[in-house]
Amino acid sequence: MSKGISVLELFQKLFFNFNSRQMKDATIAFKRHLDGGGKMLLALAGAMSSAQLGVTLAPMIREKKIHIISTTGANLEESIFRLVAHESYKDYPAYRYFTKEDDQKILERGERRVTDTSIPEEEAFRVVEPIILARWKEAEKKGERYFPHEYFYQILNSGELKDKYEGNPEHCWLLGAAKINLPMVVPGWEDSTLGNIFAGYVKAGEVNAGVMKTGVEYMTTLYDWYAELSKSGPGLGFFQIGGGIAGDFPICVVPSIKYDLKKPVRPWGYFCQISDSTTSYGSYSGATPNEKITWDKLTKDTPMFVIESDATIVAPLIFEAVLDRYTIEEK
């Protein structure tokens, strides 16, 4: 006779050592943090939107398991690109065997390859570009200024893209975030396709750079968001996918409040990073969490986990275990 077990129970049944135990222990601690009234920040790097993390991240947002996001500009825009151009993406599972000539042909077809999938320029970039450009120009006309993610929220909440959807809206994490006005920081947004496009319009004199709020303003806003979100239970946790600025930027808010604002601040209440970056001389993305203790970002009592594995495998499994929405038939 078969019986059902949850994804978390599957973790407990199968995973005992090495990265599998780190994943299991990090998941249990994640759930304990939320169950205790804590909140969670997600730091999103890599090409996770193109990898369709939204399938599991969007319900995490809807179920209020994620309370604030720090993301790269690429993940921000690629969530909406998947929404409007999903059917035009192409998969290349044999990419490891490509020659330079093969990639040249992909370029000539108007595609931009990200490992084993490609973003279609005409169906993605050029569909969103005139719509967001109109928002930038409208803001300039009205003398208004917004953060990069707020322009995306405006577009998604207006419904003006609905007739262009090719992807499943339930799988668009940015749409889920827009619906609840989820707090978000996008440090270094200029390092993205639409960020480059914006810079081009500024250089050409078509848009004033002042319509876009800056990274410094993101940090000063994050001071307030952190203070509010860290009030309850064990405070605000930090769940990091990948390395780089998406993680480096927000984790600094704690020592900045303490040393720069000279105000009392609660430490991060949980830390987990999924990364395949190796620990080496000077590698911050590959540094072990206890190094962050010396920078007053974490404490010796913070639950800390590093899962040295593929985030496209690990993150969806952890999210499903936290959501606890599936059972698996066990013989």
Side-chain angles (χ1 to χ4, degrees):
M1 186 175 180
S2 64
K3 62 178 182 177
I5 62 172
S6 70
V7 175
L8 182 58
E9 287 170 333
L10 186 69
F11 286 9
Q12 294 169 319
K13 180 184 174 85
L14 299 180
F15 302 142
F16 300 103
N17 296 99
F18 312 143
N19 274 315
S20 69
R21 179 164 61 189
Q22 279 286 290
M23 180 175 70
K24 177 183 66 178
D25 291 350
T27 304
I28 292 169
F30 191 138
K31 287 176 66 68
R32 186 181 298 121
H33 182 84
L34 295 182
D35 291 344
K39 308 294 185 184
M40 190 64 69
L41 177 144
L42 171 66
L44 188 61
M48 298 304 293
S49 290
S50 288
Q52 304 183 67
L53 184 66
V55 174
T56 50
L57 177 52
M60 285 285 284
I61 293 169
R62 288 195 295 271
E63 295 297 320
K64 296 181 172 56
K65 308 295 187 183
I66 298 293
H67 305 89
I68 179 171
I69 290 177
S70 172
T71 181
T72 59
N75 273 312
L76 182 76
E77 66 189 15
E78 287 170 22
S79 181
I80 203 169
F81 291 164
R82 267 288 178 186
L83 182 63
V84 301
H86 181 74
E87 297 302 322
S88 299
Y89 277 67
K90 289 187 175 64
D91 289 330
Y92 295 103
Y95 71 93
R96 288 182 178 86
Y97 310 104
F98 279 7
T99 64
K100 294 177 182 178
E101 288 72 22
D102 291 329
D103 277 319
Q104 178 66 30
K105 290 174 183 176
I106 289 174
L107 169 66
E108 291 167 359
R109 288 197 296 269
E111 302 170 33
R112 303 293 180 262
R113 183 166 70 84
V114 182
T115 311
D116 69 349
T117 191
S118 67
I119 306 170
E121 179 176 338
E122 288 300 319
E123 294 84 356
F125 306 159
R126 305 310 167 197
V127 166
V128 178
E129 179 182 348
I131 295 171
I132 201 164
L133 174 60
R135 292 283 175 172
W136 297 335
K137 288 187 172 183
E138 181 183 7
E140 181 176 357
K141 185 177 179 180
K142 294 181 177 178
E144 297 172 344
R145 304 176 68 246
Y146 298 99
F147 285 119
H149 76 276
E150 291 180 312
Y151 286 106
F152 286 90
Y153 280 9
Q154 291 170 16
I155 292 168
L156 289 166
N157 285 328
S158 73
E160 61 193 291
L161 281 177
K162 274 191 174 180
D163 63 345
K164 302 182 187 301
Y165 288 178
E166 288 186 4
N168 184 344
E170 294 295 302
H171 294 167
C172 180
W173 70 262
L174 186 59
L175 179 60
K179 285 181 177 179
I180 61 172
N181 195 29
L182 189 78
M184 187 177 298
V185 295
V186 190
W189 170 75
E190 299 81 4
D191 178 23
S192 67
T193 298
L194 288 171
N196 290 173
I197 288 171
F198 176 77
Y201 281 120
V202 170
K203 181 67 172 176
E206 295 192 39
V207 178
N208 190 304
V211 304
M212 198 67 64
K213 289 188 176 181
T214 68
V216 171
E217 289 168 288
Y218 262 134
M219 182 59 80
T220 57
T221 303
L222 183 56
Y223 290 149
D224 297 331
W225 281 335
Y226 186 88
E228 182 61 32
L229 291 169
S230 63
K231 284 180 179 178
S232 60
L236 184 61
F238 197 100
F239 189 87
Q240 180 174 353
I241 296 177
I245 196 170
D248 300 349
F249 183 90
I251 204 166
C252 293
V253 73
V254 167
S256 188
I257 291 173
K258 181 175 182 179
Y259 295 106
D260 304 323
L261 299 187
K262 295 180 172 53
K263 290 185 177 180
V265 60
R266 296 187 71 181
W268 292 99
Y270 165 98
F271 177 85
C272 176
Q273 181 179 9
I274 307 169
S275 175
D276 60 3
S277 180
T278 57
T279 302
S280 61
Y281 298 108
S283 169
Y284 183 61
S285 295
T288 54
N290 55 292
E291 183 177 299
K292 294 175 174 60
I293 295 173
T294 72
W295 292 88
D296 224 347
K297 296 170 181 175
L298 303 178
T299 76
K300 63 181 179 60
D301 299 315
T302 308
M304 302 178 195
F305 307 90
V306 175
I307 308 167
E308 294 178 317
S309 189
D310 184 339
T312 64
I313 298 170
V314 172
L317 285 172
I318 291 178
F319 289 169
E320 286 300 343
V322 171
L323 287 164
D324 195 23
R325 60 178 180 168
Y326 292 133
T327 56
I328 301 164
E329 290 301 311
E330 182 186 36
K331 298 296 183 182

